[in-house]
Amino acid sequence: MKLPPIILDGFDIGYATRTDAVGKSTYHFHTGYELFFLISGKSNTIIGDKTYAISSGYLAMIPPNTFHQNTYQTNDIERYVINFEERIIPDVFQSKLKLLHKEPIYIPADLVYMRGLFASITKEYHREDSLSAEMIRLILCNILAYI
């Protein structure tokens, strides 16, 4: 499989569907933020010292250097994971990121809209044009503004 080019340093996105998902991910952390969007399935998600039962439509915003782990409760899952460093976000959104530290789990009011944003940012990530980095920033800011 060909890996996408590095369009925006400090940003990565993954999308997965699995039919054998029951089980645990490793207990780990990232130096940047992780934005986890579970489209379908169920998971017990540890973030720091708390465990959250999440299901289809839930979104988790995990702060930098915070240990976390997913234990999938269903075989069939569909999910997006975005990892990003704070430095790629415009200053106006820095305070929004800090507010998201207080409660890491969200249920977007409009799941179709949120899923569309994640699909758009994934498409942009796999493009190789001169506007992709800025489009990724804009879509990410749209996601952050919406949650």
Side-chain angles (χ1 to χ4, degrees):
M1 181 177 143
K2 182 184 170 198
L3 294 174
I6 297 177
I7 292 171
L8 179 59
D9 185 42
F11 178 89
D12 189 37
I13 188 166
Y15 169 79
T17 58
R18 292 178 56 186
T19 57
D20 62 346
V22 169
K24 294 182 180 182
S25 65
T26 59
Y27 196 57
H28 64 285
F29 72 93
H30 309 278
T31 57
Y33 286 88
E34 179 173 306
L35 191 52
F36 176 83
F37 184 31
L38 188 61
I39 294 172
S40 65
K42 292 183 179 180
S43 175
N44 287 330
T45 300
I46 299 170
I47 301 173
D49 61 356
K50 294 183 180 176
T51 301
Y52 303 88
I54 66 171
S55 58
S56 300
Y58 280 63
L59 193 145
M61 174 63 103
I62 303 163
N65 303 309
T66 302
F67 278 96
H68 57 282
Q69 178 183 44
N70 288 314
T71 302
Y72 295 109
Q73 306 298 306
T74 54
N75 277 324
D76 297 327
I77 65 147
E78 181 181 8
R79 59 102 176 123
Y80 285 96
V81 176
I82 294 176
N83 294 100
F84 67 95
E85 295 178 16
E86 189 171 335
R87 65 183 169 79
I88 71 164
I89 301 298
D91 291 344
V92 70
F93 282 92
Q94 300 298 327
S95 59
K96 174 74 172 182
L97 285 175
K98 302 301 184 236
L99 289 174
L100 296 174
H101 287 214
K102 294 180 182 178
E103 182 56 47
I105 305 297
Y106 304 89
I107 304 171
D110 186 339
L111 292 174
V112 173
Y113 179 69
M114 184 60 72
R115 187 171 181 171
L117 290 173
F118 274 81
S120 293
I121 204 168
T122 301
K123 281 184 192 174
E124 210 53 62
Y125 183 71
H126 289 89
R127 282 191 186 163
E128 295 186 46
D129 65 41
S130 61
L131 295 177
S132 290
E134 290 310 313
M135 289 301 296
I136 287 169
R137 280 189 181 96
L138 288 170
I139 298 166
L140 182 57
C141 288
N142 198 343
I143 292 169
L144 294 174
Y146 194 75
I147 57 175

